[in-house]
Amino acid sequence: MSRMRRAAVAAVGALALLSPAACGGADSGADQEVEVFTWWADGGEKAGLDGLVAAFDEQCDYSFVNGAVAGGAGSNAKQVLASRLQQGDAPDTFQAHAGAALSEYIAAGQIEDLSALYDEWGLTEALPPGLIDNLSVDGKVYSVPANVHRSNVLWTNTSVLADAGITAEPTTLADLLAALDTLKAAGISAPLAIGKDWSQLMLLEAVLISDLGPEGFTGLWTGATDWNSPEVTQGLENYKRLLSYTNTDRDTYDWTDAGKLLMDGKAGFFLMGDWAPSDFEAKGFTDFGYITFPGNGDTFQWLADSFVLPQGADNPEGTKCWLKTVGSAEGQQAFNLKKGSIPARTDAVEADYPAYQQSAIQAWKTGTQVPSCAHGAACSQGAIEAANSAIGKFSSDQDLAGLQKAMSAAAALGKN
Ligand code: BGC
């Protein structure tokens, strides 16, 4: 909690002592706040957060304080959080990606071991063991996942494709390139919408899944696949080619700005995680379709949002109630119905979800799972930052050998 906010809470607390409503005292938790730090500031993301807050209000006797800092994929929030943690000003809880992105917080002793709470709340049985592994170090589990998102989805503007005469879904990279050429010939100058660094990294990852296959791709982050192989060079060349179909002002765009290009009919395709449709819907756009990124086959590239109990949180009991809500069946349903992701819990009822999420629940169960680097499942924060900077540099200098070298160095910074 920030110092100013703490002072305000202290003042409210002093007043409460004088009022009859304070009879329950601090034990009731009635006027204790829980500051929840996320990057879900508006659109579909805020709708998801609101769903979770509604479940929290039902289940807990604490008040939610919104500590959201806007910026896709935490591009601004992560810096603000790092400086708050350094100053000993931790929020009561913060959003963090499951997987390697938790590793620095754990190594620095900034987040608490939640293993006992997992047993108490039944999470050990309710969550898939593979996901729990991604939240654990040395057998201790450090965060509670709210969901599973899929990142390798290509969203389409149905009318733009139909107007250009594209009727068949592209299933390979060659099909996608042909469709992009068709759109260009139809007057769409930048048919593949894209945003800045991390969203370009998502495109690179999707292309590498197509070119290396799921196992070869996963090996890029564990050290089993050589970043300097000719197959990777070929993948980078394909990436460079695809980038030439994107909006040239991409480095100034957050993902919502790039999504707007699709919504406005200025692009036919947009690669983005499945948080995109809830944002489209929040903005009244329904003329969209979706396909798995061409060439990815049945690969489900995953990431999961989770929440932690920071060391030194002002209200650890309130945080525990937030975490319990996040892990509960009701909390996951309230959140995911709005957020577009699927519940991390295995007891979710498929029929409760709309068509896209039903297909994602099936694909998560039956497809080949690979982790996302851009969203922390495969890469530590340090590796993500280095990869984003390599990709941003390539966006302007187009130096393919430089990209290959820098990505190899970035991957070496954080293996899962
Ligand atoms: C998060 C999603 C979020 C997306 C865009 C990802 O890193 O996991 O929850 O919607 O970023 O901000």
Side-chain angles (χ1 to χ4, degrees):
M1 194 177 289
S2 74
R3 286 195 179 84
M4 263 173 67
R5 204 174 292 119
R6 249 199 305 263
V9 172
V12 170
L15 279 179
L17 282 178
L18 303 172
S19 77
C23 287
D27 287 349
S28 75
D31 41 39
Q32 283 179 271
E33 299 185 330
V34 179
E35 188 199 0
V36 178
F37 186 97
T38 70
W39 57 85
W40 298 328
D42 48 33
E45 298 183 332
K46 170 77 165 44
L49 180 60
D50 289 346
L52 196 48
V53 173
F56 175 69
D57 288 343
E58 287 271 309
Q59 295 183 29
C60 300
D61 195 16
Y62 293 94
S63 20
F64 166 84
V65 172
N66 193 348
V69 174
S75 44
N76 305 319
K78 285 180 182 177
Q79 286 162 24
V80 174
L81 178 66
S83 86
R84 285 188 58 177
L85 293 179
Q86 209 175 15
Q87 290 161 21
D89 182 28
D92 293 305
T93 183
F94 60 85
Q95 171 190 359
H97 283 129
L102 284 175
S103 60
E104 286 109 330
Y105 301 125
I106 298 171
Q110 289 169 324
I111 54 179
E112 304 270 3
D113 170 15
L114 304 176
S115 310
L117 295 172
Y118 259 60
D119 291 338
E120 190 183 322
W121 300 336
L123 293 180
T124 316
E125 293 75 43
L127 296 169
L131 186 55
I132 295 182
D133 281 353
N134 276 281
L135 302 159
S136 307
V137 168
D138 295 337
K140 294 179 182 165
V141 59
Y142 287 90
S143 74
V144 178
N147 64 355
V148 172
H149 265 303
R150 186 176 197 176
S151 55
N152 58 333
V153 188
L154 195 60
W155 306 95
T156 61
N157 181 313
T158 313
S159 302
V160 168
L161 297 197
D163 291 350
I166 299 170
T167 48
E169 290 181 348
T171 57
T172 63
L173 280 181
D175 293 347
L176 177 59
L177 288 164
L180 291 168
D181 281 333
T182 305
L183 288 170
K184 272 202 149 186
I188 309 279
S189 59
L192 178 59
I194 205 161
K196 64 182 176 184
D197 51 26
W198 62 269
S199 43
Q200 294 165 33
L201 178 58
M202 289 178 72
L203 179 63
L204 173 64
E205 292 188 65
V207 174
L208 289 172
I209 294 170
S210 294
D211 281 323
L212 306 175
E215 203 182 317
F217 171 81
T218 304
L220 288 170
W221 315 111
T222 61
T225 302
D226 181 6
W227 268 97
N228 298 303
S229 70
E231 291 77 20
V232 173
T233 309
Q234 176 62 54
L236 298 186
E237 273 160 11
N238 285 335
Y239 168 67
K240 183 175 183 178
R241 193 148 166 225
L242 280 173
L243 210 56
S244 72
Y245 292 90
T246 66
N247 41 301
T248 50
D249 49 4
R250 55 192 171 246
D251 298 328
T252 61
Y253 274 31
D254 204 340
W255 71 276
T256 40
D257 306 316
K260 190 165 183 314
L261 294 176
L262 189 85
M263 293 193 250
D264 291 348
K266 293 184 178 148
F269 296 103
F270 175 47
L271 170 80
M272 191 41 61
D274 54 12
W275 45 88
S278 60
D279 201 63
F280 293 156
E281 277 153 23
K283 292 168 181 165
F285 175 65
T286 52
D287 186 22
F288 65 89
Y290 51 85
I291 50 176
T292 302
F293 188 79
N296 281 194
D298 75 349
T299 303
F300 186 116
Q301 191 181 28
W302 72 272
L303 59 117
D305 294 305
S306 69
F307 285 90
V308 299
L309 171 55
Q311 270 275 341
D314 282 348
N315 183 4
E317 289 313 310
T319 302
K320 285 177 195 165
C321 208
W322 172 263
L323 297 177
K324 189 175 180 188
T325 305
V326 167
S328 68
E330 300 75 18
Q332 299 225 333
Q333 180 165 348
F335 175 63
N336 286 297
L337 273 174
K338 302 266 176 58
K339 185 69 168 59
S341 37
I342 60 174
R345 293 178 67 102
T346 53
D347 55 6
V349 181
E350 227 176 282
D352 290 345
Y353 289 83
Y356 170 76
Q357 280 152 299
Q358 290 192 16
S359 72
I361 290 172
Q362 276 306 317
W364 169 243
K365 278 191 203 144
T366 59
T368 310
Q369 297 174 7
V370 303
S372 155
C373 172
H375 303 283
C379 293
S380 64
Q381 302 290 354
I384 298 170
E385 276 166 34
N388 281 343
S389 111
I391 215 95
K393 181 168 174 294
F394 180 75
S395 178
S396 46
D397 71 12
Q398 299 284 293
D399 170 8
L400 208 123
L403 176 65
Q404 191 154 8
K405 204 166 152 218
M407 284 304 301
S408 171
L413 287 176
K415 296 172 179 160
N416 65 353

